Amino acid sequence: MIIYYDGKFLPEDKASVSVFDHGFLYGDGCFEGIRAYNGRIFRLKEHIDRLYDSAKTIDIKPPMTKEEMTEAICEVLRRNKLDNAYIRPIITRGKGDLGLDPRKCPKPSVIIIAVTWGAMYGDLYEKGLKAVTVSVRRNPAECMPPNVKSLNYLNNILAKIEANYKGGDEAIFFDTNGYISEGSGDNLYIVKNGEIITPPTLNNLRGVTRLVVLEIAKSLGITVREQNLGYFDLYTADELICSGTAAEVAPIVWVDGRTIGSGKPGPVFRQLAAAFGPLTKKEGYPIHGKPKKLAVK
Ligand code: PMP
C-alpha cells in the first residue's frame, strides 16, 4: 500500500508519524472519509471543502491548495491501482513539543490513505440494523463543534463502546438538550407518515451523504423536514435510516428493544437506496483524468 505523506508517496511501513505530532499526542487535526466508485471519487469537492473548513475552525492552515489535495488523492488511488476505495485524508497540526501550544508546531502534515472497503454493514442492508441510544452525549457545538471532523473521535468511540456492550450495531447519540443528534459515524432520519424528518445540523456532522439523501428524496417527491427529534420520535417512527460515506444508506429496524415500523427495511429506505447506488456510480471526480502537476512540498 502506498501512502501520501507530506509530498512523498511511501510504502506503508515507511509512512510513520512522529511521536511528537500533535495529531498523535492530542488528536489535534482533522480528517475526511471519502469513497471512490468505479474510477470516480464521489462528492470529492464537498469532502475537500469540509476538510478545509474543519482545518480553518481549528486554525490549521493546510500546506497545500484544494487543487493539490485533489491531485494527491487521485495519485494515491492511481499508485494503489484502486478504482473503488475508501479514502482517508488527514491534516495534523504537525510536530511540536509536549506542550499544547500550536505555535510550537510550525508545519502541518498531510497524510492520505486509501483502502478497499466494501459494504460496511454486510447483510444488514437487507436485514436492518439494531441501534441503541447511548448515555454519552454528543459534544455540544459550544465545546467542540460536531461539524468539525476532528481527529479526536473519542466522543464517537465512547458511543460505539457503549453500543457494543449493549448489543447494538450502531449507537444513537442525543445532544446535551436531549435532542437526537446522530449515530457514532452517520446521520439519522426518521420516516413518519411518508415524510422524512432529520435533525438540523448544529449538533451533528453535516454529512455529505446527508445532502445526497435529501437531494434524492426531493427528486422522488418525498417531503423532507429538518426538525429537532426526541426519543419518542425515534421509537414511534415508521422507518429509521442512517447515512454516511462508510455506511452508505442503511435501515435501522430495532432501537432499545423497540421494533421500528414493520421491523424490516421499509419502502422509503428501499427507494433511497435504489437511487443512491446508481448515483454513486455515475457521477464523481475522475481518478484517471489528465494528471495535473502535483506540487511537492
Ligand atoms: N456523523 C459522523 C459523526 C460521522 O463520522 C460521519 C462520517 N463521516 C457522518 C455523520 C456522515 O458524514 P458523511 O456522509 O459526510 O460521510
Side-chain angles (χ1 to χ4, degrees):
M1 185 192 295
I2 300 294
I3 315 279
Y4 175 92
Y5 190 2
D6 286 346
K8 298 194 182 76
F9 293 92
L10 301 171
E12 188 184 336
D13 58 347
K14 295 274 174 330
S16 26
V17 178
S18 164
V19 292
F20 287 98
D21 192 306
H22 278 207
F24 169 72
L25 286 172
Y26 296 117
D28 186 358
C30 53
F31 72 101
E32 271 303 314
I34 312 174
R35 273 192 192 264
Y37 299 91
N38 288 357
R40 290 174 177 272
I41 307 174
F42 191 58
R43 300 284 158 123
L44 179 61
K45 179 181 183 305
E46 288 83 342
H47 282 287
I48 291 187
D49 284 348
R50 188 173 66 186
L51 180 65
Y52 279 62
D53 285 348
S54 290
K56 186 168 187 186
T57 308
I58 58 174
D59 201 26
I60 291 181
K61 291 177 188 64
M64 64 209 294
T65 64
K66 290 184 181 179
E67 292 69 33
E68 288 163 350
M69 177 66 77
T70 301
E71 183 51 24
I73 289 173
C74 288
E75 186 60 20
V76 168
L77 294 172
R78 291 192 289 254
R79 289 198 187 210
N80 287 291
K81 301 198 174 8
L82 287 173
D83 274 354
N84 293 282
Y86 179 81
I87 310 155
R88 171 62 53 88
I90 300 160
I91 304 178
T92 80
R93 182 83 58 191
K95 263 192 259 177
D97 61 17
L98 290 182
L100 288 180
D101 195 341
R103 289 175 299 185
K104 298 285 173 56
C105 309
K107 193 174 170 294
S109 274
V110 175
I111 298 158
I112 305 167
I113 309 167
V115 298
T116 305
W117 194 5
M120 178 172 158
Y121 285 125
D123 63 351
L124 297 182
Y125 296 91
E126 277 307 312
K127 286 196 199 146
L129 279 76
K130 286 185 168 181
V132 291
T133 58
V134 293
S135 59
V136 59
R137 299 299 169 109
R138 189 71 174 108
N139 287 330
E142 59 270 37
C143 299
M144 183 63 232
N147 311 125
V148 173
K149 203 163 163 58
S150 137
L151 274 186
N152 184 337
Y153 244 48
L154 265 180
N155 187 217
N156 311 60
I157 290 168
L158 284 174
K160 191 74 191 162
I161 289 170
E162 200 174 326
N164 289 346
Y165 279 122
K166 290 178 167 171
D169 302 304
E170 178 54 310
I172 296 179
F173 267 125
F174 291 99
D175 67 14
T176 48
N177 295 312
Y179 296 125
I180 291 166
S181 158
E182 59 181 334
S184 71
D186 36 66
N187 293 111
L188 295 172
Y189 317 78
I190 67 161
V191 179
K192 190 72 180 173
N193 301 325
E195 284 183 349
I196 294 178
I197 313 173
T198 189
T201 54
L202 191 66
N203 71 0
N204 52 44
L205 184 73
R206 287 178 196 168
V208 172
T209 322
R210 178 183 182 278
L211 285 182
V212 177
V213 166
L214 299 189
E215 271 172 36
I216 293 174
K218 280 181 192 147
S219 74
L220 294 171
I222 304 170
T223 308
V224 175
R225 281 195 292 132
E226 287 192 355
Q227 187 188 297
N228 284 325
L229 298 166
Y231 67 80
F232 171 84
D233 304 297
L234 204 60
Y235 297 152
T236 59
D238 299 330
E239 293 183 44
L240 186 58
I241 297 166
C242 65
S243 81
T245 298
E248 300 173 299
V249 183
I252 298 173
V253 296
W254 184 101
V255 181
D256 298 344
R258 280 79 160 175
T259 298
I260 304 302
S262 68
K264 297 211 168 61
V268 174
F269 161 74
R270 295 225 178 270
Q271 273 180 281
L272 294 174
F276 182 78
L279 191 67
T280 58
K281 274 148 207 104
K282 129 171 147 220
E283 59 166 66
Y285 189 92
I287 300 168
H288 302 287
K290 194 167 170 291
K292 294 179 197 74
K293 196 168 170 295
L294 176 61
V296 175
K297 296 216 160 43

